[in-house]
Amino acid sequence: MVAYKSKMVERITLPSRDQRERALEAAGYNVFNLDAEAVFVDLLTDSGTGAMSDAQWAALIRGDEAYAGSRSFDRLESAVADVMGFDHVVPAHQGRGAENVLYGTVLSAGDVALNNTHFDTTRAHVANQDADPVDCPVPEAHDPDADAPFKGNLSLERARSVVDEVGAERVPLVIQTITNNSAAGQPVSVANTRRVREFADEIDATFVIDACRFAENAYFVTQREAEFASATVAEVAREQLGYADAVVMSGKKDGLANVGGFVATDDESLFEQCKQRAILYEGFPTYGGMAGRDVAALAVGLREAVEESYLEDRIASVRDLGSRLAEVGIPVYTPTSGHAVYLDAGAAFPHVPANEFPGQALVCELYREGGVRGVELGSFAFPETDRPELVRLAVPRRTYHREHFDHVVETAAAVLEDRRDVAGFEIVSNPSMPELRHFTARLEPCPT
Ligand SMILES: *Cc1c(COP(=O)(O)O)cnc(C)c1O
């Protein structure tokens, strides 16, 4: 059931086919380089792109811009305590700032970090500490057709084999990303979180939850994990996060804000160390690189993120988009995640080999055909990892309506109809950090 009505609107227009063609060429066939004005339905990311509520806008106006001890920070602290169950908060300008603060504190050169799947900025921050990010997804995570409730889980079997190989002393950090963004946004069960807690204790490692989509994850737990069938999302969120030593959070996801992030923990010593590093990289620890008004909006957003009506509306609209795309014949990763529909470009374009980036080909076709912007999360974004050629259509929170999704479905159906003409791509300019190449690299269509 729909949970919102509009109170403010923004005009969007669909550029002509010719304009789209030229925009794509000028962007080096990398949709990160497109002007947002040239995009009709923007499903590039759900990060910071959502609509704030009237309560958030009200909080924004009343934000306290004091450098130290701001009232807005008090609001954030109590929201984090109530919603996530942690006493200490170190704010950061966004999730990756929080990652730098926390992982820079916990990791040293030569260490290994385990994660169900490292999100791209997480992988880069671990690598930036000269540590080694090792993924431990469950085997079904990268099977687009496997029907399992928690394909985002961390494989304890894989984690143990890594520890057996490198030695426990080299593994000071275990991360669980909920939901598992880089594994098609699949949820993680509370049972799995409990086992990871025990495992971290066994090897004496710090257990961090990347909580960017903790509320969406908690919603899936109430739907799919029998033990929590009658629990509220808020109860599940607190239970699951409660097993971690610390969380890293992007306020741009389940903080329902346009910017912001934080580390939260109950560990006094970790808190003190993070605060020091935060002063160096983010700002004084009561604002952490955010304006006071943004801290205030985030404090309200965190509470709204665990409202049942919001989550029901959101998860249903994403699931609906996924099933309608599947109905018109687009190979879709199942089950659908909470924040995005993942398309299997390898299956859609079997004639385009992996080294010519079938996912990027699909991303470009969706833009060319209908001004729809998605993002590649296959061989282009994750070089040298063995994963399916996925394209993510991320759904901004509280932003698009059924008519927008109708247009996306029609666009995808038209692309599929003409699939034989679709060519692959080659990279013509490559940035220096391979972990981040998909953000800025330029491409050209392969000759056909
Ligand atoms: C978005 C995201 C981050 C980084 O957060 P930013 O606010 O974009 O810096 C980290 N981990 C996961 C799982 C994310 O989805």
Side-chain angles (χ1 to χ4, degrees):
M1 184 137 48
V2 65
Y4 302 97
K5 61 179 180 176
S6 304
K7 197 166 191 167
M8 191 187 284
V9 294
E10 179 179 346
R11 177 180 289 284
I12 53 172
T13 50
L14 177 63
S16 68
R17 183 170 288 270
D18 189 46
Q19 285 168 327
R20 299 196 297 270
E21 189 62 61
R22 274 185 283 135
L24 205 51
E25 195 186 334
Y29 299 94
N30 183 340
V31 293
F32 279 100
N33 295 330
L34 287 172
D35 287 339
E37 276 199 330
V39 176
F40 187 52
V41 179
D42 201 349
L43 307 181
L44 182 70
T45 176
D46 63 320
S47 178
T49 51
M52 291 208 297
S53 67
D54 49 359
Q56 285 179 289
W57 282 105
L60 194 102
I61 302 256
R62 302 208 59 208
D64 179 355
E65 304 302 338
Y67 189 94
S70 115
R71 179 180 65 235
S72 300
F73 178 69
D74 295 342
R75 301 260 154 88
L76 179 63
E77 262 190 329
S78 52
V80 170
D82 292 347
V83 175
M84 305 177 102
F86 293 97
D87 287 340
H88 299 306
V89 186
V90 181
H93 74 283
Q94 61 182 85
R96 69 200 65 186
E99 291 183 318
N100 179 34
V101 165
L102 182 61
Y103 300 144
T105 300
V106 176
L107 290 172
S108 310
D111 286 344
V112 171
L114 304 179
N115 199 329
N116 43 354
T117 313
H118 289 80
F119 177 67
D120 47 13
T121 61
T122 316
R123 185 179 305 280
H125 272 295
V126 170
N128 200 37
Q129 299 303 320
D130 293 318
D132 195 9
V134 177
D135 291 343
C136 305
V138 289
E140 62 271 27
H142 295 308
D143 176 353
D145 302 315
D147 184 22
F150 294 106
K151 291 163 81 172
N153 280 354
L154 185 147
S155 163
L156 273 300
E157 206 176 43
R158 166 100 176 107
R160 283 185 210 286
S161 79
V162 175
V163 168
D164 287 346
E165 197 183 309
V166 304
E169 61 293 342
R170 273 189 63 201
V171 187
L173 175 63
V174 184
I175 307 165
Q176 206 177 32
T177 306
I178 71 171
T179 56
N180 193 349
N181 191 1
S182 301
Q186 295 299 295
V188 170
S189 68
V190 173
N192 188 249
T193 300
R194 286 185 187 130
R195 284 197 293 273
V196 172
R197 170 74 268 172
E198 287 164 13
F199 169 70
D201 285 338
E202 277 167 40
I203 63 167
D204 202 21
T206 300
F207 174 30
V208 171
I209 291 184
D210 179 330
C212 290
R213 296 180 184 77
F214 75 98
E216 290 169 9
N217 198 84
Y219 182 82
F220 283 118
V221 167
T222 64
Q223 301 296 302
R224 297 180 188 176
E225 198 166 358
E227 184 187 337
F228 298 97
S230 54
T232 65
V233 169
E235 287 162 353
V236 172
R238 283 183 61 116
E239 161 103 17
Q240 189 163 33
L241 301 178
Y243 292 107
D245 296 307
V247 297
V248 271
M249 180 69 191
S250 168
K252 305 172 73 167
K253 322 294 178 36
D254 280 354
L256 301 185
N258 298 123
V259 76
F262 55 84
V263 175
T265 183
D266 280 340
D267 181 324
E268 303 286 341
S269 132
L270 191 60
F271 175 53
E272 287 307 322
Q273 292 173 63
C274 285
K275 263 203 302 199
Q276 294 308 309
R277 194 170 163 87
I279 293 171
L280 188 60
Y281 288 103
E282 297 294 317
F284 190 77
T286 60
Y287 73 87
M290 276 183 275
R293 53 184 170 274
D294 293 324
V295 176
L298 174 54
V300 175
L302 265 186
R303 294 183 190 277
E304 293 178 352
V306 291
E307 284 172 6
E308 310 275 335
S309 62
Y310 153 67
L311 282 163
E312 247 165 57
D313 182 11
R314 171 155 180 78
I315 307 282
S317 66
V318 177
R319 185 179 50 227
D320 193 47
L321 175 63
S323 47
R324 290 169 64 207
L325 285 165
E327 272 163 32
V328 299
I330 307 288
V332 170
Y333 184 108
T334 54
T336 309
S337 81
H339 74 286
V341 177
Y342 292 74
L343 314 179
D344 185 349
F349 299 155
H351 61 288
V352 180
N355 63 359
E356 294 180 10
F357 312 125
Q360 193 61 16
L362 178 54
V363 166
C364 289
E365 288 306 316
L366 289 171
Y367 178 73
R368 197 194 312 265
E369 181 62 37
V372 175
R373 176 157 70 169
V375 68
E376 198 265 11
L377 293 176
S379 303
F380 178 45
F382 300 103
E384 287 156 46
T385 54
D386 181 27
R387 54 174 84 215
E389 300 296 337
L390 297 183
V391 165
R392 185 186 70 187
L393 302 180
V395 179
R397 293 169 180 77
R398 308 187 291 203
T399 303
Y400 289 121
H401 308 299
R402 188 167 170 104
E403 289 76 6
H404 300 107
F405 298 133
D406 289 345
H407 175 79
V408 174
V409 173
E410 283 160 22
T411 299
V415 166
L416 200 66
E417 192 127 301
D418 297 331
R419 73 169 109 182
R420 260 178 226 92
D421 304 333
V422 171
F425 283 90
E426 59 186 346
I427 297 176
V428 292
S429 100
N430 226 340
S432 58
M433 268 185 104
E435 293 88 358
L436 304 177
R437 77 170 179 190
H438 64 295
F439 291 115
T440 53
R442 298 179 72 83
L443 305 100
E444 261 173 23
C446 293
T448 47

